Amino acid sequence: MKLTAAFPVLAALLLGGADARGLAEIRNSGTLRIATSADFAPYSFMQAGMFTGFDIDLGNELALRMNLHVEWVTLPYDGLMNKLNTGDEVDVVFATTSTTQTQSVMASNPYGCTNTVLLTRRGGPMTQKALAGKTLGAEEGRPYLTYLKKMPFQKTVQVYSSSTDAILAAATGRVAAVATDQHTALSAMKTYPKANLVIGETLAKEQLVLAVSRKNAALRDALNVALRDMQKEGSINALGQSYFGKKISC
């Protein structure tokens, strides 16, 4: 009996862990596990010990429409996608994910669009051309880092483990500019009013999606149904209006 009970555990260790939970298993459990970095205001962040932000409200509503409760999981952004394909701890990644980041996973239909922008202190570089020879910053794992590295001129790129650290580096002058999301940049301007932060040139337009395991088409489809219904009702744009002061639709 002991050998029989231990076998699944041993098998999981030998085979690299359990597979992602399928939709039927998720429905049986009654809980949808959604992962986020929780350091990316106004999308997802912690306030008074509680998860809050646009992503959090939308994720909670999507789960409610699927008759599920949400268990929010906080992980460093750079490790989020890998979690979907290496175990059953996470069902969905909801973390301002761009379509450019979903090669190894399965993406939902886009629920909105945003821009990647430069954030700098007043008097700092406002255009791509002005970044030449400067020290720049971005968060590990996000497309912003890729955009900076691909710019065809000499520069130094500092990589940060969180958006909070990257933004703080710009606010304190440790880097000349960071690349980040436009709404996060606006939030940072309010968080650090004495830093005189300003938004520079737009680097790219991003389509935002949810991500699931590449084996989890049924879950992706269920999320798409809920997203489609909310888009038809206008509730996603209404939520965007409350957080960003504008619609988030593409």
Side-chain angles (χ1 to χ4, degrees):
M1 292 296 292
K2 290 183 179 180
L3 289 174
T4 303
F7 181 75
V9 177
L10 179 60
L13 292 172
L14 293 174
L15 297 175
D19 287 334
R21 299 192 305 166
L23 181 59
E25 186 177 355
I26 292 168
R27 290 196 184 282
N28 286 337
S29 75
T31 300
L32 186 68
R33 299 170 186 160
I34 307 181
T36 184
S37 59
D39 69 340
F40 207 59
Y43 292 96
S44 66
F45 58 103
M46 302 300 293
Q47 189 173 65
M50 301 290 289
F51 288 97
T52 190
F54 173 89
D55 290 358
I56 306 302
D57 285 357
L58 180 51
N60 287 337
E61 178 62 22
L62 289 172
L64 182 63
R65 289 169 182 250
M66 296 167 65
N67 295 314
L68 296 169
H69 298 289
V70 176
E71 178 185 336
W72 287 97
V73 180
T74 307
L75 294 168
Y77 187 87
D78 191 41
L80 287 174
M81 297 304 170
N82 189 50
K83 279 291 184 182
L84 290 172
N85 291 323
T86 57
D88 60 358
E89 299 172 52
V90 171
D91 303 316
V92 181
V93 167
F94 197 168
T96 326
T97 302
S98 167
T99 52
T100 60
Q101 301 168 269
T102 57
Q103 295 87 346
S104 65
V105 295
M106 189 176 292
S108 71
N109 293 334
Y111 61 83
C113 281
T114 187
N115 293 323
T116 294
V117 298
L118 293 174
L119 180 66
T120 183
R121 296 199 297 179
R122 192 172 303 281
M126 298 284 286
T127 65
Q128 292 186 53
K129 185 177 180 180
L131 298 177
K134 300 292 195 299
T135 298
L136 313 171
E139 182 182 0
E140 181 70 44
R142 293 193 184 268
Y144 322 136
L145 178 61
T146 302
Y147 298 145
L148 292 181
K149 287 184 174 180
K150 285 185 175 180
M151 290 179 179
F153 46 73
Q154 184 176 0
K155 71 278 181 186
T156 301
V157 180
Q158 296 287 346
V159 182
Y160 295 92
S161 60
S162 72
S163 174
T164 301
D165 290 343
I167 297 291
L168 183 60
T172 56
R174 296 200 301 273
V175 296
V178 294
T180 190
D181 174 85
Q182 63 177 345
H183 299 122
T184 299
L186 288 168
S187 178
M189 292 167 66
K190 296 176 183 178
T191 301
Y192 302 106
K194 295 182 179 179
N196 293 315
L197 292 169
V198 291
I199 294 175
E201 189 173 67
T202 295
L203 303 180
K205 186 172 184 177
E206 312 287 350
Q207 287 189 315
L208 301 177
V209 296
L210 287 75
V212 302
S213 166
R214 56 192 168 211
K215 299 179 180 179
N216 226 338
L219 176 57
R220 185 271 318 271
D221 293 345
L223 290 167
N224 280 341
V225 169
L227 285 171
R228 182 195 63 209
D229 290 346
M230 291 188 71
Q231 286 167 332
K232 285 183 177 179
E233 295 167 8
S235 51
I236 295 180
N237 276 332
L239 190 59
Q241 192 74 39
S242 68
Y243 277 99
F244 313 130
K246 58 185 288 189
K247 296 178 180 179
I248 194 171
S249 58
C250 299

